[in-house]
Amino acid sequence: MGGHLVLCSCAGTQELDADALSQATGRACGRVHDALCLAAPEVVARAFAQPDTLMACAQEAPRLAALAAEGGVAPPMFTDIRDRAGWSDDGPATPKQTALLAEAALPAPAPRVLDVASQGLCLIVGPADRAMAAAARLKDALAVTVLLPEGSAAPETRAVDIVSGRIRRATGAFGGFDLTLDGLRQVDPAGRAIAFGPARDGAKTRCDVILDLTGGTPLFPAHHKREGYLRPDPGDRQAVADAILEASQMVGTFEKVLHVRVEPALCAHSRAEQTGCIRCLDLCPTGAILPAGEHVTVDPMVCAGCGACSATCPSGAIAYDAPPVDDVFRRIEVLARVFRGMGATPTLLVHDEYGREMIALSARHGRGLPAHAVPLELPALAAFGHAEAVAALGAGFARVDILPGPRTERGPLTAQVALANALAGHDLVRLPDAGEPDALEAATRDPVPACDRDPILPLGTRRQVTRVAATALQGGTPVLPLPAGAPYGAVLVDTEACTLCLSCVSLCPSGALLDNPDRPELRFQEDACLQCGLCANICPEDAIALRPQLDLSPAALSPRVLNAEEPALCVECGKAFGTAATVERIAGMLADKHAMFGGDKARMIRMCDTCRVDAMAHSENNPFASRPRPKTRSSDDYLN
């Protein structure tokens, strides 16, 4: 790996094997410091003088960076191994410390960002006593407008703009809220007494920040995830004060992280005005995902980055991008490979910022994490779906625990855990209810399952990695039954009802359903099927059904025939032009029962399109014939 490693025992409170860590990581390591954060700047500068230095301390990173700058050297990379792998009742955890150091050395991809400008236009909504008090504190920092409930009396102050009415509709996010107001009444300053003017409906307005002090129904779904919309409990003075302080800072230009990346060409939402996959639309808590013709679109300003859409998307049309999916796979593989390379079997603990605080509390005041539990912090837990979970199991982790926070939507995670366990064949992915450090310690100290399989290398798309990992986990099981709604499965065709019209082939977004250009045939490649349901929705005979499963055999990678018939041959030229069964069925319905196909004309039903037109044009009772063409007259005709 190369580079330099700096270790600190934090006043002798953790055991560090410098030689083992140096050898395993390939980084040169000098002496183990006792309290480097309390050392003089020149001491810190000497410790960080080497290029590509990794400092095994995160708590004092700001102070150490400042000391390094004072000593004239660039600050190193920082990572925590004390709370996660140093303070534990299990004693030294060298394999876990090595794995965490190897993960920290991986390059971190820079997130894509979008500049958001706020002019400081703030709308305060609520009763007069609450709203006017908040406006008095914000008027010097923001351009404040107060919206009072309908029927309110006009306050005798002109320090801020005041209106009354009710909000009919609110859309947008920080820096771009759009509101429609009904019963809007503006202050009429003329006259002896200040009063509201006449009401009008359908008024439009825009603002950058909304401070909602009504205590009623929120204006937006998942309101705590809508940036720029502050809705404290009006009865909690501290919460209101915190919201006012936060609002006062919301002016200027900010960077908004673009959490997801969208590839419209891969989306299986709709074809030919027939609806197919709606998984992401059903899961998005903020309403940031909307249909846009044959695909969906994501409003980056409304998207809160929960990641549930990425985990459930069957095609990869929506993929989490902060960090990207392949970066998560790479971190999982490095953690597992380095840990197992030291002769031990790890388990994986996936957590977010809340979980990081829980781990720190457990390390400082409890037993800490066990030596086998390797923590992996992600900004959005819901983005860790079944593909990432089975990839971790396939890479060598014996078990995967996902630690949800108090605001984590458990519905999407529960579905992904159930799917991952179905793919793994055992309950190796868990969602522990550990709201306290003691519960976390107990859950992570459950016996470690056996793990003697050969590890995989998780490279490729989420579907490809899932297939490779499931094959490694299941061994000889060819077909895995999966829960309803799984993005893998088979298409079942009722051959008695299917007419081989091939409308399903024309709409299939992934190319799983195929035709045969040489004969009437419906073919299916199961590995490509997204279970979007478009084929079942478009089938005019209701001959198609879906079955969630994962076929791990090589046969799933090649097309197989679902239905086939003999072609109908034209009775005139012998050209194949349809299915024999369909043509005979039509002939039975029309022959001698329709004026155009009576007697010898019934033979035209069994002709190809070219021969049928020719036969109709030369028939005695041709419905398209005109009057007989008049005989051409010449000069001889006139002379005679």
Side-chain angles (χ1 to χ4, degrees):
M1 185 179 300
H4 189 64
L5 177 63
V6 180
L7 299 175
C8 180
S9 67
C10 198
T13 57
Q14 61 173 334
E15 298 183 32
L16 299 171
D17 189 339
D19 293 336
L21 292 175
S22 176
Q23 182 178 0
T25 60
R27 289 177 172 270
C29 180
R31 69 181 184 90
V32 177
H33 297 271
D34 185 61
L36 186 60
C37 58
L38 301 179
E42 56 271 17
V43 177
V44 175
R46 286 197 300 269
F48 296 162
Q50 300 297 325
D52 190 17
T53 297
L54 176 61
M55 174 66 204
C57 177
Q59 174 181 290
E60 299 299 325
R63 177 178 177 82
L64 289 171
L67 291 172
E70 187 176 346
V73 298
M77 298 180 292
F78 294 95
T79 189
D80 168 56
I81 64 171
R82 184 196 64 186
D83 294 349
R84 300 186 292 170
W87 287 346
S88 174
D89 287 358
D90 288 9
T94 302
K96 179 162 68 168
Q97 292 171 347
T98 305
L100 293 175
L101 290 172
E103 182 215 6
L106 292 174
R112 297 181 301 130
V113 296
L114 177 69
D115 286 342
V116 180
S118 169
Q119 304 298 324
L121 304 178
C122 177
L123 178 67
I124 303 178
V125 186
D129 54 344
R130 305 172 190 166
M132 296 306 298
R137 300 175 61 181
L138 284 173
K139 64 182 179 62
D140 295 331
L142 304 175
V144 175
T145 299
V146 176
L147 176 62
L148 301 179
E150 289 183 296
S152 300
E156 295 183 358
T157 178
R158 299 293 291 153
V160 295
D161 292 333
I162 304 171
V163 297
S164 71
R166 66 181 183 277
I167 298 176
R168 182 208 302 173
R169 184 171 181 266
T171 59
F174 173 58
F177 287 106
D178 291 305
L179 299 100
T180 302
L181 307 178
D182 286 341
L184 176 66
R185 302 176 65 193
Q186 294 177 287
V187 170
D188 184 0
R192 187 171 182 179
I194 297 178
F196 286 119
R200 61 189 180 97
D201 294 337
K204 307 286 186 179
T205 187
R206 291 178 59 88
C207 64
D208 299 314
V209 181
I210 299 177
L211 178 58
D212 187 350
L213 301 176
T214 60
T217 303
L219 297 177
F220 305 99
H223 61 89
H224 57 281
K225 296 186 175 183
R226 185 66 60 109
E227 293 184 0
Y229 178 63
L230 308 177
R231 185 180 173 272
D233 180 3
D236 187 341
R237 293 185 177 181
Q238 184 59 49
V240 173
D242 292 342
I244 291 174
L245 178 60
E246 183 177 356
S248 67
Q249 308 301 314
M250 291 184 169
V251 57
T253 302
F254 302 84
E255 288 186 345
K256 163 74 174 178
V257 175
L258 300 178
H259 299 285
V260 298
R261 187 184 296 272
V262 182
E263 292 292 344
L266 301 178
C267 185
H269 169 61
S270 173
R271 294 294 186 274
E273 298 184 356
Q274 295 291 323
T275 301
C277 178
I278 55 173
R279 291 176 173 90
C280 60
L281 293 170
D282 289 342
L283 284 182
C284 183
T286 62
I289 305 178
L290 297 173
E294 295 188 347
H295 57 89
V296 297
T297 183
V298 179
D299 186 343
M301 296 305 303
V302 178
C303 176
C306 71
C309 55
S310 174
T312 195
C313 181
S315 65
I318 295 182
Y320 205 75
D321 203 39
V325 174
D326 56 352
D327 180 72
V328 176
F329 284 150
R330 183 165 56 251
R331 293 169 62 188
I332 290 172
E333 188 274 331
V334 167
L335 288 171
R337 172 170 49 82
V338 175
F339 196 110
R340 289 170 59 92
M342 302 193 71
T345 300
T347 63
L348 185 65
L349 176 62
V350 186
H351 64 89
D352 56 6
E353 184 178 2
Y354 171 82
R356 184 209 313 158
E357 297 178 1
M358 183 90 71
I359 293 171
L361 289 173
S362 173
R364 188 175 292 273
H365 304 290
R367 293 185 293 169
L369 292 180
H372 60 76
V374 180
L376 172 65
E377 182 175 348
L378 296 175
L381 283 184
F384 192 88
H386 68 276
E388 290 78 7
V390 296
L393 296 174
F397 286 100
R399 185 178 63 229
V400 176
D401 291 325
I402 304 174
L403 180 62
R407 287 191 170 182
T408 302
E409 282 88 5
R410 298 197 173 218
L413 270 179
T414 301
Q416 292 297 310
V417 167
L419 178 55
N421 285 325
L423 293 166
H426 303 280
D427 291 339
L428 299 178
V429 183
R430 307 187 307 178
L431 197 64
D433 188 9
E436 299 291 338
D438 292 342
L440 173 62
E441 295 167 6
T444 53
R445 278 180 165 77
D446 288 342
V448 178
C451 182
D452 55 358
R453 53 187 173 268
D454 293 331
I456 68 165
L457 187 62
L459 293 177
T461 65
R462 299 180 78 251
R463 292 181 68 89
Q464 293 168 341
V465 170
T466 298
R467 181 177 182 81
V468 172
T471 303
L473 293 169
Q474 290 288 357
T477 306
V479 180
L480 308 177
L482 300 179
Y488 315 96
V491 169
L492 307 179
V493 175
D494 183 354
T495 56
E496 296 297 327
C498 177
T499 62
L500 287 175
C501 68
L502 301 182
S503 59
C504 54
V505 174
S506 63
L507 291 191
C508 182
S510 63
L513 290 171
L514 307 165
D515 64 347
N516 187 337
D518 299 324
R519 57 182 296 109
E521 226 173 51
L522 175 61
R523 299 186 297 167
F524 173 64
Q525 183 174 331
E526 184 167 332
D527 178 59
C529 181
L530 306 177
Q531 297 282 286
C532 64
L534 274 169
C535 54
N537 294 341
I538 195 61
C539 181
E541 310 296 338
D542 292 330
I544 294 180
L546 304 178
R547 181 170 64 195
Q549 65 178 36
L550 182 60
D551 188 350
L552 300 177
S553 67
L557 304 177
S558 302
R560 68 174 187 268
V561 177
L562 296 181
N563 192 18
E565 291 186 11
E566 290 300 321
L569 302 179
C570 177
V571 294
E572 289 290 331
C573 66
K575 173 186 175 182
F577 67 96
T579 65
T582 300
V583 172
E584 291 302 322
R585 188 181 302 117
I586 295 174
M589 296 171 60
L590 296 180
D592 297 325
K593 298 177 184 179
H594 192 279
M596 291 184 63
F597 300 102
D600 294 338
K601 294 181 179 180
R603 194 168 183 269
M604 290 190 294
I605 299 176
R606 295 177 174 86
M607 296 181 186
C608 66
D609 51 355
T610 303
C611 295
R612 187 180 305 116
V613 171
D614 184 67
M616 293 177 66
H618 293 87
S619 64
E620 294 181 0
N621 297 321
N622 178 13
F624 305 109
S626 61
R627 291 183 300 172
R629 185 175 181 180
K631 181 181 178 181
T632 303
R633 299 180 64 86
S634 65
S635 300
D636 293 338
D637 295 326
Y638 288 102
L639 293 175
N640 293 332

